[in-house]
Amino acid sequence: MIDTLRRGTYDFVSQIHSRTTAILNPIIHSFRTRFVAAGVLLFAGVCAAQTAPQLATADAQKCMADIKTLTAPEMEGRGDGTKGLTRAEKVIVERYKKLGLEPAGTKGYLQAFSVAIGRKLKSGNKFVVSRMHVDAPSLRSLRLGEDYVPLSFSAPGAAKGQVLHAGYGITAPEASYDDYEGLDAKGKIVLVLRGEPLALAGKAHSGHTIHAELVTKAINAKNHGAAAVIFVNGRVGKGEEDVLPHFGDVDGPEDAGIPCVQAKRSIVQVWFPTGPILFDDLQNELDEAAKTGTPPKRRGLDSKLTTVRLEVQVETIRANVNNVLAYLPGKTDEYVIVGAHYDHLGRGGPHSLAPSLTGTIHPGADDNASGTAGVLELARIFAGHRGELKRGILFANFAGEELGLLGSAAWVNAPTKPLDKAVAMLNMDMIGRIKDGKVFVGGVGTGTTLKAALDEAKSGTKFEIEPSESGYSSSDHTSFVAKKIPVLFFFSGLHADYHKPSDTWEKINADAAAQLLDLIGRVDAELTDAAERHAFVAVAENPHAAGGVSSGGGYGPYFGSVPDFGENKDGVKFSDVRPGSPAAKAGLKAGDVLTQFGDKTIHNLYDFTDALRRSKVGDVVEVMVLRDGKPLKVSVTLEQRK
C-alpha cells in the first residue's frame, strides 16, 4: 500500500499513503502521515434477479503457497524496476495461462508503463570554496561523498555567491517562528541547520514536525528566492559523528526546484566570524527564540570573505514495469475488475519504516502478496464458471502502487477494456492479517445498493465489517473512483510489521484470508450476475473525517482535490475533485492542472502541500489551473479540517 507523504510529503497523504497510525512510528514520508481510511466502494446493488453461481470455497493452503512464492528471496521484495518484480510477474502470467484466462494487456497479459525508481549522480558535481583572506587566499574543491553530498531531490544546476546562514530554514507562523524574518535570501545560497528547535519538536507526536523535513526546508528556501541550499548537521552530541546522508536516502520530489546539498560542519563553520563557537551559540539562540517567542540576537550571518560555487548533476532513473491482466469473458461486454498490487519496497529505501535495515529484503507478505494471492485464488475459482456469468471479470495485478498508484493510474488512463463497461472494481490490499474477525471495507457509499450487497455477502460469517462511505484512500481503487467506477476496498488493518523486513509469510492468517475471499467472491458473483447495472454515487466528502488521499488531505485547511499520480512535468494534475469540497465549489474539476496557489508557483505535489499547509481556514486563495491547456483563475475559500 502506498505510503503517502512519502512519500515525506505527498499531501495525502498524505504524503499520499496515510496508512501510518500510532501503531507505527510515523515516518512518512513521509511522507511521508498517513493512516489509510480503509475505503471500499462497491457499486454493488443487489439487483440479482438471477441466481448467483455456486462457487467453490477458497483454499487457504493454495493462498499460503502463493504468498510463500511471492515472498521468496529470489523475488527480492518485488521492488519496482527490479528482477524480483519481473519474476513475480512471470509467476502471475503462468498462472493465468494454466487457468485458460484470456490475455487482457496490450502485449499478451502485460501492459507496460514507465516509472521513476530513483535518481543517480552524474559526472560534473562540484563544490568549490574560495576564501579571500588577505594573508592566505585559498581555493578548495570539496570531495564528493566525503565533504558533501547532493540530495536526491535536488534540482540540477549551478549556483555561485556568498552564503547566508538562515538558521533552521523554518517558517512556522503557527508557532510565531520564522528564520527568514528580516532576511533577504533572494539569489543567495542559504545555509540551513538540520532539525528544528526543541520547542517546535515538542509539539509533535512523532518527535518532529513537518518543518524539520529537508524537502520542506528546500521548498521554503525556494519560496524565499534562494539560489541554492546547503544543509548542515546541528550540534553533535558527545560520541556522535557528523554523518552525511547517503545519496538517495532522503525522500522528496524528483526536482525540488533549486540545488540542494549537505556539507560537513567542519567545512562550513569556518566560513563565518568566530567559526565553530558561532555555530553552537547561534543554535542555542534559535532554540531559545522558539521557546520564548522572541527573535534571536543574531540571524542571517553572511560569509563575507567566502564564496561558494556549486554545481549539481543528478539524473532520474526510469524503468519499464508491467501490469498483469487476464480476462474471463461473460455473456455481455460489461465486466467487474478484481485487483491488487503486486509490487512492494524491494530492499527498503525512503518508504521503509525500518530505515536502518535499508538493503535488507522487505518481503511484503501482507503488503501485498496477500492481495495478489487473493486475486489468483479468485481467478482459479471463477475460471470454472466460464460462460455462466452475465458479465466478465478482469483480473488485474498492478505494479507501481508503492510509488503512487501508478499502475492503476496507467490502466484507467489507457484502459485495455472499454472503461464505460466496467461496473465495479474490487481491490484487495493487505488482507492477510485479519484479527478478531475485523475487516475494513471502504467505498460502501459509492454504489446505489452497495451496503445491501455487502451485508448479504457477509451474512452467516463471523466477520466484523467496519465500513467507510468514501472510496478514496491510499490504494489502487482510488484511481477507479476518479473515473466514476464503484469500488470496494478490502483491508485487514495496520500492524507493526508494515513496510518492514518483518512482514513475512509466517505471520499471515491464511484461514481467515480464505474466508474473506469467499465473502469477496460472493460479492463478485452478485455484481457479475445482477440483472441491472448499479449506479455510481459521488460521495460528498466530510472534511472532518480522518484519512483519505487528497491534495489537501493531511495538512492545513481542506481543499478537496485528488492528485493524479501519473507523470506531470509541471504542476499538479487533478484526477478528481471531491463533491462539495472548496475546490468543487470554485468550479475546479478532474483534468485541471494546478500551477499557482496564491503567490506560490506549483511545480509538484510537495509545493502544493507546503502552500496549503501555510494557509489558514477561511483564506480566499486565487489559484491558477490549466484546463485543456488554457489558463483559468478561480478563487477557492479554504475550509476547516478536523
Side-chain angles (χ1 to χ4, degrees):
M1 180 176 282
I2 183 178
D3 182 355
T4 170
L5 247 180
R6 260 175 198 94
R7 345 142 193 56
T9 312
Y10 276 175
D11 181 53
F12 275 51
V13 55
S14 220
Q15 115 171 8
I16 283 234
H17 63 225
S18 144
R19 258 164 51 165
T20 305
T21 65
I23 298 176
L24 304 171
N25 180 20
I27 275 184
I28 307 176
H29 18 171
S30 47
F31 182 178
R32 217 319 202 1
T33 18
R34 332 166 238 93
F35 171 70
V36 170
V40 67
L41 107 357
L42 193 171
F43 118 134
V46 178
C47 298
Q50 309 173 24
T51 301
Q54 295 298 310
L55 302 175
T57 57
D59 189 320
Q61 292 184 348
K62 284 184 169 62
C63 290
M64 182 61 87
D66 285 336
I67 292 172
K68 288 182 180 180
T69 297
L70 292 167
T71 58
E74 58 267 26
M75 297 298 176
E76 301 177 337
R78 306 185 309 283
D80 288 290
T82 67
K83 293 180 180 178
L85 187 74
T86 301
R87 294 185 183 108
E89 164 201 304
K90 291 179 179 178
V91 168
I92 298 168
V93 168
E94 287 304 312
R95 179 66 56 80
Y96 289 147
K97 286 181 179 178
K98 289 181 179 179
L99 292 173
L101 298 177
E102 295 181 0
T106 54
K107 186 177 181 181
Y109 292 94
L110 306 181
Q111 179 193 35
F113 60 99
S114 177
V115 297
I117 59 173
R119 305 195 88 193
K120 66 179 181 181
L121 292 171
K122 299 171 61 179
S123 60
N125 284 278
K126 296 178 181 178
F127 193 143
V128 180
V129 180
S130 302
R131 302 196 68 200
M132 306 307 294
H133 287 287
V134 176
D135 294 337
S138 63
L139 185 69
R140 180 182 179 186
S141 293
L142 302 188
R143 298 164 297 178
L144 178 65
E146 296 183 43
D147 300 325
Y148 81 102
V149 63
L151 300 182
S152 56
F153 56 72
S154 174
K160 181 179 180 180
Q162 292 179 343
V163 178
L164 177 70
H165 195 323
Y168 286 103
I170 289 173
T171 299
E174 74 280 6
S176 300
Y177 181 89
D178 187 0
D179 283 308
Y180 286 93
E181 183 180 358
L183 300 189
D184 181 9
K186 291 182 179 179
K188 303 285 183 62
I189 298 173
V190 295
L191 180 72
V192 168
L193 293 168
R194 292 191 60 154
E196 64 186 334
L198 296 176
L200 269 65
K203 298 177 181 179
H205 296 296
S206 62
H208 66 80
T209 71
I210 192 72
H211 298 293
E213 301 288 346
L214 296 188
V215 68
T216 303
K217 296 185 180 197
I219 291 171
N220 197 33
K222 178 181 67 175
N223 288 340
H224 281 89
V229 58
I230 301 171
F231 293 102
V232 63
N233 285 324
R235 68 175 66 85
V236 178
K238 185 176 181 180
E240 296 179 352
E241 296 183 13
D242 179 21
V243 178
L244 294 175
H246 294 290
F247 181 81
D249 281 358
V250 181
D251 200 20
E254 286 189 40
D255 184 339
I258 58 175
C260 304
V261 304
Q262 181 168 333
K264 284 287 190 73
R265 279 173 56 96
S266 59
I267 298 293
V268 303
Q269 62 190 8
V270 297
W271 299 345
F272 301 91
T274 70
I277 297 175
L278 169 69
F279 252 60
D280 288 341
D281 284 352
L282 178 58
Q283 186 170 1
N284 290 336
E285 289 181 12
L286 294 169
D287 289 345
E288 185 65 21
K291 182 179 179 181
T292 62
T294 58
K297 297 177 183 178
R298 293 174 288 188
R299 61 164 71 242
L301 294 165
D302 285 293
S303 56
K304 299 292 186 183
L305 301 177
T306 304
T307 301
V308 166
R309 179 164 60 88
L310 279 174
E311 187 167 345
V312 176
Q313 296 296 335
V314 293
E315 180 181 20
T316 299
I317 305 170
R318 305 197 68 84
N320 285 326
V321 297
N322 293 295
N323 292 329
V324 185
L325 304 152
Y327 193 64
L328 178 70
K331 297 176 182 178
T332 69
D333 57 0
E334 292 183 336
Y335 61 97
V336 173
I337 303 158
V338 175
H341 75 90
Y342 72 102
D343 66 315
H344 192 53
L345 303 186
R347 296 180 181 272
H351 311 317
S352 170
L353 288 181
S356 64
L357 296 178
T358 290
T360 303
I361 290 175
H362 288 50
D366 194 21
D367 186 17
N368 188 29
S370 65
T372 303
V375 173
L376 295 177
E377 182 63 1
L378 289 174
R380 180 187 70 83
I381 291 170
F382 277 95
H385 296 274
R386 177 183 294 273
E388 299 178 15
L389 304 172
K390 179 178 180 179
R391 298 177 179 86
I393 303 176
L394 176 65
F395 297 99
N397 304 92
F398 301 111
E401 193 270 357
E402 297 289 1
L403 299 178
L405 316 184
L406 300 184
S408 53
W411 191 87
V412 299
N413 289 326
T416 58
K417 294 285 182 183
L419 204 61
D420 62 349
K421 299 299 182 180
V423 301
M425 190 273 176
L426 311 184
N427 182 34
M428 292 171 279
D429 196 346
M430 295 178 63
I431 61 169
R433 300 280 287 269
I434 298 171
K435 185 177 181 180
D436 299 327
K438 184 178 292 185
V439 177
F440 301 91
V441 180
V444 296
T446 61
T448 49
T449 57
L450 180 57
K451 186 178 185 302
L454 188 61
D455 288 344
E456 177 68 21
K458 77 179 181 67
S459 178
T461 73
K462 296 181 180 179
F463 288 116
E464 179 186 343
I465 301 296
E466 291 199 9
S468 170
E469 292 286 310
S470 173
Y472 292 108
S473 60
S474 302
S475 191
D476 285 311
H477 58 284
T478 294
S479 298
F480 292 84
V481 180
K483 297 296 184 181
K484 313 306 179 195
I485 297 172
V487 304
L488 276 177
F489 170 43
F490 296 88
F491 172 53
S492 62
L494 286 171
H495 46 73
D497 300 307
Y498 169 63
H499 277 204
K500 295 179 182 178
S502 53
D503 182 11
T504 54
W505 67 265
E506 311 93 71
K507 298 172 184 176
I508 296 295
N509 185 345
D511 290 336
Q515 292 168 17
L516 179 61
L517 290 175
D518 290 336
L519 184 156
I520 297 171
R522 289 193 292 273
V523 173
D524 191 5
E526 291 205 14
L527 289 173
T528 54
D529 253 16
E532 299 295 331
R533 176 172 176 164
H534 306 288
F536 174 77
V537 177
V539 177
E541 286 296 306
N542 178 5
H544 307 309
V549 179
S550 72
S551 272
Y555 291 103
Y558 182 54
F559 187 83
S561 62
V562 179
D564 185 332
F565 295 106
E567 184 176 2
N568 199 60
K569 292 295 184 183
D570 207 6
V572 174
K573 186 177 182 180
F574 301 152
S575 67
D576 202 2
V577 171
R578 297 173 184 264
S581 68
K585 293 174 184 176
L588 298 177
K589 61 183 184 179
D592 288 345
V593 179
L594 179 69
T595 59
Q596 191 80 19
F597 185 94
D599 60 353
K600 304 293 192 305
T601 300
I602 305 301
H603 296 286
N604 52 53
L605 194 54
Y606 288 82
D607 287 340
F608 185 20
T609 300
D610 188 80
L612 186 64
R613 178 174 51 77
R614 297 181 187 282
S615 303
K616 297 178 181 178
V617 172
D619 282 355
V620 179
V621 182
E622 297 291 322
V623 305
M624 180 75 74
V625 299
L626 296 178
R627 180 173 293 174
D628 299 323
K630 298 179 180 178
L632 172 67
K633 181 180 288 187
V634 301
S635 297
V636 180
T637 302
L638 303 178
E639 298 179 4
Q640 177 70 49
R641 177 193 311 283
K642 292 184 179 178

